[in-house]
Each structure stands twice: as structure tokens, then as C-alpha cells.
Amino acid sequence: MKLLNTNLSPFASRVRLAIHAKSLPVEIAPAGMWLPNGQKSPDYLALNPIGKVPTLILDDGSALPESDTIVEYLADAFPQAGLRPARPQDAARGRLLARIFEQYVMAPGWSGLIGQLFAPSRDEAVVDATLAKIHEGLRHLSHFMTDEPFAVGDTITTADCALIPFLTFQNRLARFHGKNDPSAEHPRIAAYLDRVGRDPVVQTLLGEMRDGLVGSRLAMLLQPDERA
Ligand SMILES: N[C@@H](CCC(=O)N[C@@H](CS)C(=O)NCC(=O)O)C(=O)O
């Protein structure tokens, strides 16, 4: 199996966290280097016409796009790895946490913040309105989070694979716009990020995401002390 990857992508990072945390036998290949012209090349689009990263190439050569689907596939393909909690109610809460983030935080929030990255001048009203939606979604997320070591239980599961890269990337977006980390305003989420940030595998992932930004078109998301 081969993951067509870009390190800075929070979506590809979702899959890499699953691979790293469970030492899954999946080769990680740069989407932009493996194929000429990267993810918009005819070859890549033939595999994944959506043209987004990541894509997982299965052993039979077929292509699986979409980070949530890929992680769920890995959980099914390697059941012994424990990517999905064993108890149905725990597995459901894990899916719920990832879904709340995608549906009620990312969907109403990210296009506004990302669009403003490239705007000739920042529209504060758009940024503030977008952040208000993000905070509403984070309040919903917070409601269903617990004080367990990871999102569900004491090991990394599919929910962490979504929440850790997404929350971290979102904090970078808000910082670029001169705002506080959205996660910092939600104590349960802030405590979660603090806890998981001490895990060596998570540290590796966050380092990869940071390094992936260097020299990229999103390099403006690096903090001044990360640019050296
Ligand atoms: N829903 C997709 C989103 C993937 C996505 O948006 N990837 C970005 C990289 S962070 C991308 O490939 N963007 C290029 C584009 O949209 O043309 C997933 O979960 O995998």
C-alpha cells in the first residue's frame, strides 16, 4: 500500500498519524514527486479525479481518496492495530468527534480563513464571522469530549487522527489572522491538545506538518521562530 502524501496537509496528516501510531506497513510517497505535475497531473487525476491529497493506493492498484475513508479502511484492514475502539459506543463517539469537527467546525469555518490567506487585504469582518462559527462548532465538540488521555481511551484512535492535525492547523490559520488559538478558548479541547502533544508520535507528526510548510505556498502559517 502506498499513501500519496503532502506533509503540510492536515488531511494527509490524518492518515499519517494512523500509520505512524500503529506502525502500519504503508509506504508514504510525496504526491507531488511521485507523479509529474503532482496532484493535478493527468496521471493523478486518473487515479483520483477529485485531485486532492491524500490518496491511498491499495495493493491491487486501485485508488482510495478522502482522508476519513482511508483511515476507516486502515482500521478495517488492520483490526489488530486498534485504530477503532472495540466497544460500539466508544467507536461511535470517536466517529462523532471527527464528524462534529468536519461538519460544524471545518465546513462553516475553513474556507473563510483560508480564503483570507490570499486576499489582497484582510477583511476583519469575514475573519471574525468565520471564527464565531468555528467557536460554535468547538463548543459542540467540547461537549462530547472527555478527560481521557486520548480522544477515546488511552491510545490513538481514528478520532485523534482527525482532531490533532485539524485543531493544530486551525490554530495556525487563526494565528496568521492575528487571533488567539481557537482551541485555547475551550478548556477541554485545550487540555486535550496539551495532553496529546506530549506523545512522541504526535510530536513527530506535528514536526512533519511544520516542516512541510517550509518553502510551501502556505509558509505564511509558520510562526516567526519556525522560519529560521
Ligand atoms: N475531503 C478531503 C480534503 C482533502 C484536501 O482538501 N486536500 C488538500 C490539501 S490540504 C488539497 O489537495 N487541495 C488541493 C485542491 O483542493 O485543489 C479529504 O478529507 O481527504
Side-chain angles (χ1 to χ4, degrees), residues 142-180:
S142 193
H143 176 87
F144 291 99
M145 290 190 76
T146 66
D147 297 329
E148 294 164 277
F150 286 92
V152 182
D154 55 10
T155 60
I156 290 176
T157 63
T158 55
D160 302 289
C161 294
L163 293 181
I164 293 168
F166 291 170
L167 285 165
T168 305
F169 189 78
Q170 180 170 269
N171 284 344
R172 285 189 181 277
L173 290 173
R175 271 184 226 166
F176 172 79
H177 292 302
K179 308 293 180 185
N180 292 334

Side-chain angles (χ1 to χ4, degrees), residues 9-11 39-40 51-54 66-67:
S9 163
F11 303 97
Q39 68 199 69
K40 301 301 178 194
K52 291 182 189 283
V53 169
E66 293 299 313
S67 61

Side-chain angles (χ1 to χ4, degrees), residues 172-193:
R172 285 189 181 277
L173 290 173
R175 271 184 226 166
F176 172 79
H177 292 302
K179 308 293 180 185
N180 292 334
D181 291 358
S183 64
E185 297 181 30
H186 303 267
R188 204 175 266 170
I189 298 175
Y192 164 75
L193 270 190

Side-chain angles (χ1 to χ4, degrees), residues 205-217:
L205 183 91
L206 297 182
E208 287 176 356
M209 291 180 74
R210 179 198 59 226
D211 294 347
L213 288 169
V214 176
S216 79
R217 62 193 284 270

